[in-house]
Structures are given as C-alpha cells and as structure tokens.
Amino acid sequence: MSTDWLSSALVFGLFEVVMYIGMGFLLHMQLGLAGIGNFGVVGFWGLGMYAYGIIYGGHAPSGTDLIIDIPWPFGDPWQAIASVILATLVAGLGGLLIGWIISGMDLDGQLVGTFGFAAIVFLLARSQKGLTGSEGGIGGLDFPYDIGSEKANAMLWLLVASAIVIAIGYYTWRVHRSPYGRLLIATGQNEPLARSLGKPSNLTKLWMFTVTSAGMGLLGAMFAVIVHFLTPLKLGVDVTLAVIVALILGGAARVWGPVIGVLLTVGLFEIVVQLYAPFPDSWYRQAMPVVKQIIYGMSLIVVLMYRPLGILGDMRRDKLMRSIHGD
Amino acid sequence: MLEVRDLRSGYHGVTVIKGLSLEVGNEVFTILGANGAGKTTLLATMARLIPLMGGELLFEGEDISKVPPWESAARGIGYVPQEKGLFPELTVGENLNVGGMIGDRDRQERVDEIYELFPDLAVLEDQLAGTLSGGEGRMLACGRALMQDPKMLLLDEPTAGLSPLYVDMFFESVTKIHETRGVGIVLAEQNATKALEVADRVMVLSLGEAFVIEEAGNLTTEQLKEGYRI
Ligand SMILES: Nc1ncnc2c1ncn2[C@@H]1O[C@H](COP(=O)(O)OP(=O)(O)O)[C@@H](O)[C@H]1O
Ligand SMILES: [Mg+2]
C-alpha cells in the first residue's frame, strides 16, 4: 500500500488532532462532569512532557547532561515506556497537589489556581537551566524504535497515541455510566448536597482530578517523543485555549463533544488550513501561529461572555444525563 | 437514636448554638424558633456539614462528632437543607437515582415508593429539577433524602413559603413517612400550629439555646410566645 499521500506533516497534524481529542476527553471529565474549571491544562500536559524529557535522559542541545541523569539498566523501548509511566505519575502528583489546593475554591478560584500552576511549570521550564535546559531546551528524544524512516516511526507513534486516546475515550464513556460518574455529576451541580449523599464526594473529585491530570501528562509525554525536542515555547496558553474552546464548541457535557470540537478547531487548523489551504509559505511560518492564537483567544472571550457554564448547563441536558438511570 | 450533648457550633468563631443537649428517638421532633434562632445551624451541625465547636454528637450510641458528612449519611442520617436541596440540572428521576447511591434495596423499588408518597413527582419524572415549583422542589428534596433509606430524617423548614395546600399535604407526608417507614424525624419549622399537630415532642429554640423541650400537647401558648421573643 502506498502512503505517499500521507506526508510527515499530515502525520504530525493527525497526531495533534488525536492528542487534543484525548485532552478534550480528560477536560470533559473535569469540567463537563465535575464542574472543575481547569485553566492550566498546558501545565499538566507540559509537566508530563518535561518529566518525560528529563527522566528519559534527554540532554541540552550542546550535549551536556541535565542534573537528573538516570542510569537506565535497560535500553529502548523499555526505557521510553518506563519514562512515559513515570512522567504520567509525576503529572498525576501535580494533579493531586493542585486538586487538593483548589478543592475548597469556587470556579473563579479554580481557574486562577490552575492557571497559576501552568505559569509555574512554564517558569521552571524557562529558568532552571540544569533541570530543564531552560531556553535551550531538551533534545535527544528519539522514537524508542526504528522501523525504517522518520515518517514510518511517526506513523507507528500515531497508532500508539490513537490506541491510548481510544482507551481514554472508553474510560470516559464508562465513567458516565458508573456510580462514580454520577457522584461527580452531582458534585459538579451542588457540591454541599453531594457531600450528604453517603459517599466521599470530595475524595472522589480529587481522585478524578488526579487521574485526569495524569492522563494529560501522559499525552504530553507522548508529544515529547514525536517532537523530539522540548522548549518552553511549547508551553503556551494556546494549548489550554485549544482544549477549552474545542470542548465548549463540541459540547462540554457530552462524551462526543471533545471529538467534534477538536475536529472543528485543531483539525481545521493543523490539517485543513496548514496543509491544504493555498496560502503562501511565509504565512504559515509567521502569520498563522499568531492568527491561531488570536482566534482561540477571541473564541474564549466570546464563550466567557456568554457564560460558559450557562451554555454548559443547557448542553449538559442534551445527552449526558440519560445515562444516569443505569448502572 | 440521635443524641446531642452540650453542643456548640457556629461560624468563624461566632457561636450560634450555645450548649444544647437533647435526645431524639424514633419520633417526630419539632424545633420551633424565630428567624435566626439557630435552627438551620443546628440541623447542619447534626448533618456534619458544620464542625462542632464543643460538645458531642452521638448516633445509635456512637460518637459521630468528627465523621465527614457522607459518613453520617451512610450511617442513616438523611438531611434536607432549607435551600438548594436538589440537583437543578438533573431531572426528577435522576435526582432520586442519585439520591439512592447508598442502600441495599433495589433502587427502582425505592423510586416507586417515593412516587407513591409524592404522586405529583411521578408525573414530573423527566422534568428538570431546577424548573419545579417551590412545593414540588421540596417534595423532591425530601424524596431524594428518603432514597437513602435513612433512619433519621432532618428536615429544615420544608414548608416555608409554600401555599396552604402544599403545607397541609407536606405535613401529612411527614406523618406518613414516620408511621409507615419508621423514620425518626427532626423537623425545623416556623409554622408552629401545623408543626405541633404532627409532632410528638417539641423544642423551642431561642438564640441558640433550648428555651423549652416538651411533649407537643403540653406546650403552652405562653411558652411559645416567650420562646419566640428575642
Ligand atoms: N454562613 C453563616 N455565616 C455566619 N453567620 C451565619 C451564617 N449562617 C447563619 N448565620 C447566623 O447564625 C444565626 C442563626 O442562623 P440560622 O441557623 O440560619 O437560624 P434559623 O435557621 O433559625 O433562621 C443567625 O444570627 C445568622 O445570622
Ligand atoms: Mg433556617
């Protein structure tokens, strides 16, 4: 089978779409189900990404090692697999800590708290030269296998990521139908009352935030592998905005909302516009990233003006709650 | 069943309940008192939503002064707050199902019992709880708590602001809940006349203290007036 139509750029675009769908599922559980406002998505994702780079043993572009240099007793792919798992755990720990800090806060407090967390991750990435390589970044992150060409390697990684995102989607779908999900929904709607339902609602919520944050970190670690090279510039607020806008566009309360939303935003930008729109080359390098940020930023403002949780409230009705009757 | 010993509680250092002791068994126990007397504070403390500042809270002989609210619910104390007693974006049926998160009996069986108790709710099964009228909402809040099969039900002013028709209906339901389900009831009320009709015993709460605790039939108008005077 010929795969000429599948350019490296398209593989990368598809990877981004798949990854953002996964992020959308995870934010859907936080915001759509439990009503937790996470404005620091990029922080958890970036924590996983950088943790992977550091743990796997990436090095500064100059070739100097970072402070943390784990003497791996085994090579790839196990080294990469172990690093992905550890990076996921690190992001989960971050989620546990931040989830605990914001647990008593209202929506505004949660947004500020998570945003602050993302800012801290960014600052660490930029300033801790020994740990993160600061502006110089972390390089040396190759695919943990070689099946011939860069493109073939990337395609295989896309398949792995797709499998992971399908698993995340399946987990999300299961959560909707479980008593655990019902308690989350109740907590999101009326937290004081949910405390009196007979199950530990606050622990349930904290656990969900921990698990979903770990999932964001997992996707960040996956991303680290496909880009090979990490810099603080990757930790822009546009990552967070993309997930939020996609989620709200697609319907934050529905399982399929993130899929639709991401296809309409990231898919449109990273694939359709990026690869097939007849713009001059210089546009893509200079104007496009800016245009993208502006559009995401403006969509967010529009959404906030029209009260996201109001919209959420209505959309929540559509499909989500049907599942609540069953077990 | 539910015992309060020298209980003190309140908010941020402001003591509202100032050393209260009482014991409620399998009965209808009414708490009367003027606005601000501390009825809501007392019930929320019993439901473990407000921390104790002093004293003890016991349920079935065990100290529950420090258990989290979900555990007091799991042990059998159902709580219907004065306001916000339902999940507004869930339907009536969903509210009941969520309410029945604990308990061993078949959930649908329990839902059917609630519909039998409050027939109005059955018709509204698929309506959003946030769109219910005041009276319907109170019934749902109460039904939601009953889904937990509680041994003791704390009801905070369930008839405040309702039309007379609903008030009568609600008090009838309270009696029915107590008699047919064997649930002990603590009922905070402003509506003294009606509440006294259904109560076995009554406490008049005044500025966070028990002004009088008496058999409902023995409470005198004088005591009531005195207790309501601040
Ligand atoms: N959240 C709160 N923070 C501080 N004070 C409160 C709070 N809620 C109630 N109070 C005060 O506690 C006292 C008792 O209120 P409450 O228990 O609501 O009385 P009741 O239910 O009998 O009307 C009042 O003086 C009220 O102002
Ligand atoms: Mg009150």
Side-chain angles (χ1 to χ4, degrees):
Chain A
M1 188 181 80
S2 163
T3 55
D4 289 347
W5 58 273
L6 196 61
S7 65
S8 288
L10 181 55
V11 173
F12 186 74
L14 286 173
F15 184 92
E16 286 206 293
V17 167
V18 165
M19 181 184 80
Y20 275 107
I21 288 175
M23 303 277 277
F25 281 139
L26 296 165
L27 187 65
H28 154 80
M29 281 187 271
Q30 296 181 350
L31 182 67
L33 288 192
I36 304 173
N38 185 350
F39 211 10
V41 169
V42 67
F44 300 97
W45 177 81
L47 184 58
M49 181 169 90
Y50 262 85
Y52 176 84
I54 293 166
I55 293 168
Y56 178 77
H59 48 69
S62 61
T64 40
D65 281 332
L66 302 171
I67 291 176
I68 297 176
D69 192 17
I70 298 173
W72 289 102
F74 42 72
D76 278 329
W78 301 111
Q79 183 177 338
I81 291 171
S83 302
V84 166
I85 291 170
L86 288 173
T88 304
L89 290 177
V90 169
L93 275 180
L96 181 64
L97 178 71
I98 300 304
W100 176 67
I101 290 173
I102 64 171
S103 62
M105 298 182 178
D106 61 5
L107 186 67
D108 295 349
Q110 294 166 357
L111 293 175
V112 173
T114 49
F115 188 75
F117 169 73
I120 290 171
V121 171
F122 175 73
L123 284 177
L124 287 178
R126 216 184 58 177
S127 64
Q128 301 302 302
K129 195 159 182 53
L131 183 68
T132 61
S134 71
E135 308 282 10
I138 299 179
L141 308 172
D142 285 327
F143 290 111
Y145 49 77
D146 189 0
I147 56 169
S149 66
E150 169 71 18
K151 195 171 100 180
N153 290 341
M155 279 170 61
L156 181 56
W157 200 241
L158 171 62
L159 288 181
V160 175
S162 304
I164 288 175
V165 167
I166 287 170
I168 293 174
Y170 178 71
Y171 177 74
T172 311
W173 182 78
R174 292 287 311 164
V175 166
H176 269 254
R177 276 150 190 78
S178 68
Y180 166 66
R182 247 172 286 161
L183 187 55
L184 287 178
I185 293 167
T187 309
Q189 284 202 14
N190 186 343
E191 182 148 15
L193 189 63
R195 287 195 201 117
S196 296
L197 288 178
K199 296 274 183 190
S201 56
N202 50 350
L203 289 180
T204 306
K205 190 172 152 185
L206 183 57
W207 173 245
M208 185 280 304
F209 194 74
T210 303
V211 170
T212 46
S213 301
M216 290 176 181
L218 168 61
L219 293 170
M222 297 292 293
F223 188 73
V225 173
I226 203 166
V227 292
H228 307 323
F229 188 78
L230 313 179
T231 74
L233 287 179
K234 297 212 158 57
L235 302 178
V237 72
D238 52 315
V239 175
T240 302
L241 290 186
V243 185
I244 292 179
V245 169
L247 190 67
I248 290 173
L249 203 67
R254 281 179 272 173
V255 181
W256 294 111
V259 181
I260 298 162
V262 168
L263 289 178
L264 288 176
T265 53
V266 182
L268 196 68
F269 259 106
E270 303 302 328
I271 297 183
V272 179
V273 175
Q274 199 80 7
L275 300 179
Y276 302 112
F279 293 122
D281 248 15
S282 60
W283 271 52
Y284 288 111
R285 267 176 279 117
Q286 290 156 20
M288 270 311 167
V290 180
V291 170
K292 199 167 74 180
Q293 298 237 8
I294 290 174
I295 292 184
Y296 281 152
M298 280 178 31
S299 337
L300 190 72
I301 290 170
V302 169
V303 157
L304 288 175
M305 275 170 55
Y306 291 96
R307 299 170 43 107
L309 298 179
I311 299 173
L312 281 190
D314 295 341
M315 290 188 305
R316 200 187 285 265
R317 282 315 319 146
D318 287 357
K319 303 255 157 67
L320 169 69
M321 298 306 165
R322 302 282 168 256
S323 56
I324 221 163
H325 289 288
D327 267 311
Chain B
M1 198 155 45
L2 184 64
E3 199 183 340
V4 170
R5 289 184 190 155
D6 197 25
L7 179 90
R8 293 190 306 117
S9 82
Y11 312 88
H12 309 293
V14 183
T15 312
V16 175
I17 303 296
K18 304 162 182 136
L20 189 94
S21 298
L22 66 97
E23 201 175 340
V24 184
N26 190 354
E27 59 183 319
V28 178
F29 187 90
T30 292
I31 301 173
L32 296 174
N35 242 330
K39 302 181 294 294
T40 296
T41 308
L42 176 59
L43 259 59
T45 309
M46 287 172 161
R48 298 294 307 111
L49 289 164
I50 298 179
L52 277 71
M53 291 172 167
E56 277 181 313
L57 191 61
L58 293 96
F59 187 60
E60 297 183 312
E62 285 176 50
D63 188 353
I64 57 162
S65 308
K66 292 200 169 58
V67 305
W70 63 266
E71 194 184 325
S72 86
R75 284 175 187 235
I77 300 177
Y79 173 59
V80 182
Q82 186 169 356
E83 283 167 345
K84 306 207 169 113
L86 32 80
F87 301 102
E89 288 162 21
L90 301 188
T91 65
V92 169
E94 289 160 353
N95 264 274
L96 294 178
N97 273 284
V98 166
M101 202 166 281
I102 52 170
D104 303 324
R105 290 196 303 134
D106 177 62
R107 202 176 315 141
Q108 194 52 49
E109 186 184 315
R110 284 183 273 164
V111 171
D112 291 341
E113 282 174 17
I114 302 298
Y115 288 153
E116 211 170 295
L117 182 67
F118 300 116
D120 289 15
L121 291 182
V123 194
L124 301 166
E125 175 154 34
D126 292 321
Q127 192 169 324
L128 286 192
T131 66
L132 296 178
S133 76
E136 294 158 353
R138 300 292 172 75
M139 289 191 242
L140 179 58
C142 185
R144 192 229 88 232
L146 283 175
M147 285 293 293
Q148 297 170 354
D149 276 342
K151 297 167 187 158
M152 177 74 72
L153 188 61
L154 313 177
L155 291 169
D156 196 352
E157 297 207 32
T159 67
L162 298 190
S163 66
L165 191 71
Y166 268 124
V167 173
D168 287 350
M169 234 173 68
F170 208 96
F171 280 114
E172 267 172 44
S173 310
V174 168
T175 309
K176 216 187 281 176
I177 292 166
H178 173 59
E179 284 172 1
T180 64
R181 302 172 69 111
V183 179
I185 288 174
V186 178
L187 176 67
E189 263 296 340
Q190 296 239 34
N191 191 333
T193 322
K194 280 282 166 190
L196 284 170
E197 276 174 28
V198 299
D200 295 305
R201 287 192 306 148
V202 58
M203 168 171 77
V204 181
L205 190 65
S206 180
L207 294 174
E209 289 177 273
F211 179 74
V212 61
I213 299 181
E214 192 47 283
E215 298 288 323
N218 295 347
L219 188 77
T220 64
T221 326
E222 275 311 303
Q223 283 173 316
L224 197 55
K225 270 191 193 152
E226 194 71 20
Y228 266 76
R229 188 151 59 215
I230 300 175

